[in-house]
Amino acid sequence: MITLYDFELSGNCYKLRLLMSILDLSYDIVPVDYFPGRENRADWFLRLNPFGQLPVLKDDDLVLADSGAILAYLAKKYDPSGQWFPDDPAVTAEVLRWHGVADGITGSSAAARLALSYGHDYDIPRAQREAHRIFRLMDEHLWFGEKQGRDWLCSPAHPTTADIACFPYVMLSEEGGIARQDYPALRRWTDRVRRVPGFVVMSGIFPAGRALS
Amino acid sequence: MPLSLSDPAWYPIASSDDLPFRHVYQGQLLGRELAVWRADDGNVNVWENRCLHRGVRLSIGINEGQELKCQYHGWRYANRSAGCTYIPAHPADAPARRIENRKYPVREAFGLIWSAANDDQPFAPFEGSEGHNWFALRPMPVAATPDDVVAGLMRLAPDDQPADILPNLAVKLGSAIFFVQPVDADRSVIRGLLPEKPADEITALRHYNEMLSKLRDRLERAAAKKPAPKPLEPTYEKVSVELSTMPDIAVPRGNTLNVVVKRKWQSGDGVIGFELADRDGKHLPTFQPGAHIDVHLPNGLVRQYSITNGPGDLLSYVIGVKQEGASKGGSKVLVETVREGDVLAISEPRNNFPLRRDATRTLLIAGGIGITPLLSMARFLDKSSLPYELHYFVRSGDTVAFQSELEVLHGSVDTHVGLGRELVKAKVTELLGPYQFANHVYICGPGSMLEMVQETATALGWPDEAIHFEYFQNTKPVDASSAFDVELARSAMTLHVPAGKTILETMRDNGLTVASSCEQGACGTCLTGVIEGEVDHQDVYLNKTEKASNTCIMTCVSRAKGERLVLDI
Ligand code: FES
């Protein structure tokens, strides 16, 4: 039995809801009032994750934290196709590299969003500058990918957890005052992610239209 | 040189590759934000990046192929015209007429999409553009003024091969040309073109990308040290109050436009298809599913025909005309004397048969030629991935009109051939089923069938608001034997309507100009408000509830039950 300790408006929690929906897993949700209740600082939560961060996932007795780590766990355990977190060592390295970039996006785009919408005390211009720096690099990577017939962040011909890890805080960047106008290839990639079968929405992230059949 | 909001020059605003199908690109030119999208017919739309109604960016909208849907609130705008085709939650789900988003001129050429702030200048290819197979480089956005970017590009030239400066912020460096898109006073995009596709595309693209990235970094470092110029301040055009208020049921007759009969063909036994197009190949006005046009016939008659087109399909209207017996003067003239290449006058589309797109179940029932408005509805629902069931009753197998158009629909489409009266009724009863919340049925066909479906639906508990119908003509006998007075409240006139004359005719005899079209109580054009008096309804346009309300009248056929009527005219 899987239980997700979840805050509805958190992009990091959404990553797990997204992958579990794609993998068609059933799970329970324990809502954690991250804002305004700061329940992630409550004793009971800190016993689950001393870092005080969401999401936390419980699979029977196993307790896991960190969205990137949990994505890898879910994919390795529950994705029979092996596509979402491929075994090939070189591809694993690629995926982990983009999980790292995803953390950078959280540290910039999500930080600006937390500062603007949730009153967190972060250096907003700095966070925005850093998000733009990462988005520029991603746009370039994705633009050349399209030219070479690659639709996703990593080399396989299908999406991986890397795409899921990077997706939410790219989509939510406007809430942190970070426009995506200068990143057309990044915008096209977000359309592709939103068309993955099993895709679910969260507040601020809408589905894309149907692709031309 | 300071940038001008009204600069009429054409600038590239995107690469062709930026516009895959079903995507909405976000662009900007001279401070104006743009939503740029390619429709399924290949047409590129460049619009102001705002939903007129709520101001949300259209670039987060959904490109449905022929329409763009505002993702937050559901308003829809049609390919080509940018006309609004749908306002959610409006009682009739009908947009006010002629609400159109702001459009900008557009051209696709040399692997780039070009646009201009206004229509003052025609598009002209740049000098030396002929005879090459231009290849677009990766665009490079730069946070620096367009002038500084042009100067920076000039400095890239080696000393022995100075750069050429071209008009409209373009620079020629060797054989490559770099256009600077003036995004805003402080932002630009460099869009490069090579005269031919390079042998090794990726290597060439990487080479130029690296060169432009370095230039960008230099320009941005320099720009950070200077005071930033003030961004341009385009005014965002809001919809006028007059346009954003909801229309009355009867829309006054708009202008006529001339169209050419592009194609005329036999579509199923006894139905002739006509494709009507603008004479200059421009797009025709936006229409809604269920809308019709008035066609002015060579013999002076005016007849209504439903548009069968799908959403955003505005390069021509396709109508279907039933080849009736000799009595039907209108159709006969169209079928027998109008030929391909002839010019006809038509009205702007009007809609008396609005389609709701918030139903949980949509049932479309067509009899014979009644398929035409329902085909259009089915196409709209199809494109929006909304479920529907279309049932088409025909006399025999070869009377199916628009067969190939029906075959490509994704919804459930059933043809019922050659059923007798009783069997049709049984089938309709089964299809309707007991009424459930948010179910809607749309019926179009011969009068007897319409009445049968309405009665059946009412008997099954369907409320009037859920039963939508359109008559092609009023075949009921009109009783014009009464005589009475009409007071025209706003015109301060009292007129006597004698037996044998309609209210409409009497008003005209007395010098009033009043709109009409079918003059048989079927089209809705002559609808007038009633202030006092009891109406003797003889039309087929109003539904039972509307008739019972005694607040409106079709002056072309209906009369007074008493001695006097007061009309709001
Ligand atoms: S003119 Fe058509 S209903 Fe009166």
Side-chain angles (χ1 to χ4, degrees), chain A residues 136 139-140 143-144 147-148 174 180-182 184 187-188 191 194-195 206-212, chain B residues 17-18 22-26 28 40 59 62 71-72 138 141 187 202 206 209 216 220 382 385:
Chain A
R136 266 187 178 173
D139 187 74
E140 186 173 338
W143 193 90
F144 280 100
K147 289 287 166 207
Q148 290 167 295
E174 302 263 358
R180 295 189 294 278
Q181 193 190 89
D182 283 347
R187 286 176 46 94
R188 290 192 290 275
D191 270 15
R194 287 181 290 163
R195 289 185 183 129
F206 287 93
R210 272 192 309 180
L212 188 60
Chain B
D17 289 354
D18 283 329
R22 305 298 174 98
H23 178 75
V24 189
Y25 175 86
Q26 185 181 4
Q28 190 167 323
D40 287 357
S59 57
I62 292 183
Q71 196 142 221
Y72 275 91
R138 176 167 182 254
R187 288 161 58 212
I202 292 294
R206 292 244 183 236
N209 187 58
R216 175 194 65 195
E220 291 188 346
D382 218 73
S385 314

Side-chain angles (χ1 to χ4, degrees), chain B residues 296-314:
Chain B
H296 297 250
L297 301 169
N299 61 1
L301 288 176
V302 179
R303 285 286 174 267
Q304 285 74 43
Y305 297 97
S306 299
I307 301 172
T308 64
N309 298 35
D313 194 1
L314 295 176

Side-chain angles (χ1 to χ4, degrees), chain B residues 89-124:
Chain B
H90 173 247
D93 294 304
R97 292 171 75 236
R98 293 192 222 126
I99 295 183
E100 284 185 5
N101 203 322
R102 176 89 166 85
K103 289 174 293 210
Y104 291 95
V106 54
R107 259 325 167 80
E108 183 165 15
F110 320 116
L112 299 175
I113 309 293
W114 304 73
S115 187
N118 54 49
D119 282 308
D120 292 357
Q121 281 181 9
F123 176 79

Side-chain angles (χ1 to χ4, degrees), chain A residues 4-21 27 29-34 40 45 53-57 66-68 70-71 74 106 113 164-165 168-169 172 200-202 205:
Chain A
L4 174 66
Y5 292 81
D6 181 55
F7 177 62
E8 170 92 33
L9 299 176
S10 149
N12 279 333
C13 294
Y14 168 68
K15 292 173 191 177
L16 305 189
R17 299 198 299 269
L18 184 52
L19 183 63
M20 288 196 282
S21 168
Y27 59 97
I29 282 185
V30 175
V32 179
D33 183 13
Y34 173 82
N40 58 314
F45 188 81
Q53 285 167 341
L54 284 165
V56 167
L57 184 120
D66 184 276
S67 60
I70 303 172
L71 284 175
L74 288 170
T106 305
R113 173 176 177 259
I164 292 182
Y169 290 118
L172 296 169
V200 285
V201 298
M202 74 169 266
I205 302 182

